[in-house]
Amino acid sequence: PPQAAQAEREIVKQLLDMGFSDIKAKAAVRQTDVDLMDAVTWLSDHAEEPDAFFTDKAQAPRPAAAAAPAAAPAAAAAAAVAAVSPEVRQLATLFEPVFRAIAAASHGDAGARAVLTTVRLPAMETEGWKGFSAAVARVWAGERSHASLVRDLSLDPNTAFFIGRVLEAVALPVEHLAAKADFNSRRAMPRDLEFEGILNTHDALLRQLSLVAKAQSAAALGESSDAMMDEAQEQQANTIIGHMEASGYQLRTGWELLCAGVRDEADLVDSVGLTNAGTPDLNSQRILAQILFYVKAP
């Protein structure tokens, strides 16, 4: 039927956008239920097959299990995803750490699941991503059909697109997720490009602070350290922290913990209070995490 053919074309296009070749995209759609994540999973399962395999599968009859009954909901899901604006697609790239955190939680990461359920998912619902939390809960329960989630939860096109990206992340190997883990994904936070620019601008200062933290913690613990600091350098570091505190960043407690030898990211993050608006002070958390990264670097 024309509706099913349109659904197939939409999913082939999405697979091409994800970097799969034309023949692999067509083979995956041919061999699955016209569902994006089913197609991604099928491609992952056959990643080691030669090109001839995909050429054959693209031309083979559709398996009985992938026949037309699923075409209508799949077409609706594909149409919903196709309706999202370029702005939402760009926003999704900023939310990649959140999607990876959801995927990590689906593989048993209790820390990621805790911060998602207590902070990030409620915040997204408040921001207008209606049904996203319910969809994530079903993904954690084992649901992998994008079409079913869109249909059952009546997801709007933008939320449907985000859930599609979640399912893509869930389909990735655990090793890939671990290799991509960073502060944002561990804390289930979207990227902040503007603040990343600020961090880059102050990179030299943060590296300097990390050297002082190393030296002071080594002294406090009676350990030897290559990072020897004189009194003037330590005073300069404290002055930097003071200036940053005056600019609104909550760093003093976390800084003192670093200098005392604390190396647990969660402890540093927990040392940061809320903003005046009552929301988490994400930028102060990011600064402390960056200093910690340099402290731990060889």
Side-chain angles (χ1 to χ4, degrees):
Q3 190 179 36
Q6 176 62 24
E8 288 191 19
R9 287 194 292 271
E10 290 292 344
I11 294 177
V12 167
K13 182 179 182 300
Q14 291 171 57
L15 291 169
L16 293 175
D17 290 342
M18 292 166 62
F20 293 106
S21 69
D22 182 71
I23 194 64
K24 287 186 177 181
K26 290 178 178 177
V29 171
R30 191 72 174 169
Q31 297 300 312
T32 58
D33 280 343
V34 198
D35 180 90
L36 178 62
M37 290 319 304
D38 286 348
V40 171
T41 300
W42 187 88
L43 286 166
S44 177
D45 291 342
H46 297 88
E48 303 302 321
E49 300 290 351
D51 288 344
F53 169 84
F54 297 102
T55 300
D56 178 66
K57 293 298 182 182
Q59 299 171 351
R62 182 181 298 281
V81 169
V84 303
S85 67
E87 291 77 14
V88 171
R89 292 176 184 273
Q90 177 61 34
L91 185 62
T93 66
L94 302 183
F95 271 78
E96 283 297 332
V98 178
F99 304 152
R100 293 199 302 271
I102 294 170
S106 75
H107 293 298
D109 187 328
R113 187 163 186 153
V115 73
L116 282 161
T117 54
T118 58
V119 179
R120 181 53 47 202
L121 294 179
M124 291 184 69
E125 291 285 335
T126 300
E127 292 164 2
W129 301 96
K130 299 303 181 184
F132 187 80
S133 295
V136 168
R138 284 185 53 172
V139 170
W140 284 342
E143 178 64 78
R144 295 295 182 267
S145 171
H146 185 251
S148 295
L149 291 169
V150 173
R151 179 195 63 224
D152 296 349
L153 299 173
S154 300
L155 301 181
D156 63 72
N158 295 340
T159 304
F161 183 70
F162 267 40
I163 286 299
R165 298 297 290 268
V166 167
L167 290 170
E168 292 170 20
V170 170
L172 294 171
V174 176
E175 297 78 11
H176 180 91
L177 291 171
K180 289 282 189 178
D182 57 12
F183 176 73
N184 287 335
S185 62
R186 287 191 294 273
R187 304 302 301 176
M189 299 193 310
R191 292 179 62 193
D192 183 332
L193 295 183
E194 181 179 358
F195 194 72
E196 286 178 15
I198 294 174
L199 281 179
N200 290 334
T201 300
H202 294 88
D203 186 68
L205 287 179
L206 300 184
R207 290 177 183 273
Q208 181 181 345
L209 290 173
S210 74
L211 292 175
V212 174
K214 279 185 178 181
Q216 290 197 353
S217 61
L221 298 173
E223 300 172 349
S224 60
S225 172
D226 295 332
M228 301 302 295
M229 296 287 124
D230 59 32
E231 186 174 342
Q233 290 171 307
E234 293 177 359
Q235 182 58 46
Q236 184 180 27
N238 284 319
T239 299
I240 293 171
I241 293 294
H243 284 319
M244 296 180 81
E245 284 268 328
S247 297
Y249 298 114
Q250 303 180 70
L251 304 178
R252 177 66 65 184
T253 301
W255 167 249
E256 291 174 351
L257 289 172
L258 277 169
C259 291
V262 172
R263 297 294 182 264
D264 185 88
E265 185 177 87
D267 288 337
L268 298 182
V269 168
D270 289 344
S271 76
V272 177
L274 300 176
T275 66
N276 291 334
T279 58
D281 186 352
L282 304 182
N283 289 340
S284 294
Q285 294 177 11
R286 287 185 171 107
I287 290 174
L288 288 171
Q290 191 65 27
I291 298 172
L292 176 62
F293 175 80
Y294 290 140
V295 167
K296 289 183 173 181

